[in-house]
Amino acid sequence: MKVIISNNPIELGISAGKAAAELIKTTIANKGQANIILATGSSQFETLKQLITEKDIDWSKVVMFHLDEYIGLPESSGASFRKYLKERFLSKVSPLKAVYLVDGETDPVKECNRLGMIIEANPIDVALVGIGENGHLAFNDPPADFDTTEPYIIVDLDEACRKQQFNEGWFKSVEDVPKRAISMSIKQICKSKHIICSVPDIRKAQAVKDCLEQPVSNLFPASILQLHPDCSYYLDKYSAEFLSADLTQKSN
Ligand code: GLP
């Protein structure tokens, strides 16, 4: 576990984005291709902003998977994560080798199966993820399914998650936030060779403390990352506010 604490979200994004770029470049140099997962949400704003400025990544050797998407939300909605990734990432870099977005407007069971087969054939090198206010990893809200081996699953969104999305301004009311989503599963995320977890903001301070310091539990879904051999947490001083002193120096 490596914990990097920056002064603010912008510095966090620079560190996390640069670290992701290095891992992608090294993977391409070693294997000729890098398979990555991108998350969305406010936690990824600055990290992606940095990643798209990285000049010497050969994007034609990168295959991108998408972490999660609401079921039934049209791509024209301002809250669509496909729209988010197209606007904030895909339109800003040269064409990738392949892009596998989650289509939340088609039959979700078939979509999970379709994406599941593709990702099983493409082991992930670098995953960029965040942690929600309720401790969720992707859209795996507590109590998260730590056992399923399906790569993509259909999940119900809990009240805290839906409130977060509303409070961040993605929707006009809590009722407008979809109740279901397609999410990459916990086991699939954890198969990634390297994980970069970007978590800015005081709103996340309690979730960060719970997920990094409490015993691993599906009540704190992102706590599973404690068991990952190469997960780096990029925090700012606000999200790290409740962490105990020894963890803020921990790097192993
Ligand atoms: C979100 C997104 C995920 C993200 C996670 C935490 O709701 N669907 O892709 O990794 O949950 O991020 P944030 O709190 O910024 O939304």
Side-chain angles (χ1 to χ4, degrees):
M1 180 193 294
K2 206 170 146 198
V3 180
I4 300 99
I5 302 175
S6 301
N7 284 318
N8 55 57
I10 295 171
E11 286 178 19
L12 179 162
I14 292 171
S15 302
K18 280 184 184 299
E22 284 314 309
L23 289 169
I24 293 169
K25 283 187 275 186
T26 307
T27 304
I28 293 173
N30 292 339
K31 291 179 30 186
Q33 178 176 322
N35 300 328
I36 67 170
I37 297 169
L38 292 188
T40 51
S42 59
S43 60
Q44 306 301 309
F45 284 164
E46 300 299 333
T47 301
L48 290 180
K49 207 184 244 180
Q50 178 63 35
L51 187 58
I52 59 173
T53 67
E54 294 288 327
K55 294 282 174 245
D56 43 357
I57 298 176
D58 183 350
W59 291 107
S60 71
K61 295 186 170 140
V62 174
V63 174
M64 191 210 99
F65 288 87
H66 174 187
L67 195 63
D68 49 8
E69 179 61 289
Y70 298 105
I71 290 179
L73 191 73
E75 196 181 317
S76 55
S77 160
S80 157
F81 292 138
R82 283 163 289 162
K83 180 182 163 81
Y84 175 117
L85 287 170
K86 285 181 183 174
E87 287 181 355
R88 292 174 185 271
F89 178 71
L90 293 167
S91 64
K92 308 281 187 192
V93 297
S94 51
L96 273 59
K97 179 169 185 185
V99 173
Y100 297 106
L101 294 170
V102 179
D103 182 353
E105 290 180 273
T106 186
D107 179 327
V109 174
K110 286 190 184 146
E111 184 64 351
C112 289
N113 291 339
R114 180 185 77 87
L115 292 165
M117 280 197 288
I118 303 169
I119 204 166
E120 276 177 341
N122 289 274
I124 299 299
D125 301 296
V126 187
L128 274 62
V129 301
I131 298 177
E133 288 176 24
N134 63 354
H136 73 195
L137 186 56
F139 263 147
N140 297 288
D141 289 335
D145 187 340
F146 276 7
D147 301 320
T148 182
T149 54
E150 296 297 323
Y152 282 90
I153 56 174
I154 297 169
V155 292
D156 293 319
L157 301 182
D158 74 8
E159 200 56 24
C161 171
R162 294 174 67 236
K163 275 193 182 141
Q164 177 188 335
Q165 309 305 329
F166 164 64
N167 289 334
E168 288 182 0
W170 300 103
F171 294 92
K172 287 197 183 114
S173 71
V174 182
E175 291 68 43
D176 286 339
V177 184
K179 294 196 168 73
R180 293 195 311 156
I182 293 174
S183 179
M184 196 175 287
S185 68
I186 293 284
K187 268 202 170 20
Q188 178 62 45
I189 294 167
C190 291
K191 282 187 193 168
S192 310
K193 191 163 182 207
H194 308 282
I195 298 184
I196 299 219
C197 185
S198 298
V199 198
D201 208 319
I202 186 71
R203 290 182 295 119
K204 305 288 180 68
Q206 188 61 46
V208 164
K209 184 175 178 61
D210 290 338
C211 292
L212 274 70
E213 294 186 353
Q214 291 287 340
V216 174
S217 153
N218 68 349
L219 299 178
F220 306 120
S223 65
I224 194 81
L225 296 176
Q226 293 176 31
L227 305 179
H228 192 277
D230 186 27
C231 175
S232 300
Y233 301 86
Y234 290 82
L235 311 177
D236 61 16
K237 64 182 178 194
Y238 310 105
S239 62
E241 181 148 327
F242 300 159
L243 281 187
S244 64
D246 66 321
L247 199 58
T248 60
Q249 282 147 32
K250 195 163 171 181
S251 178
N252 59 36

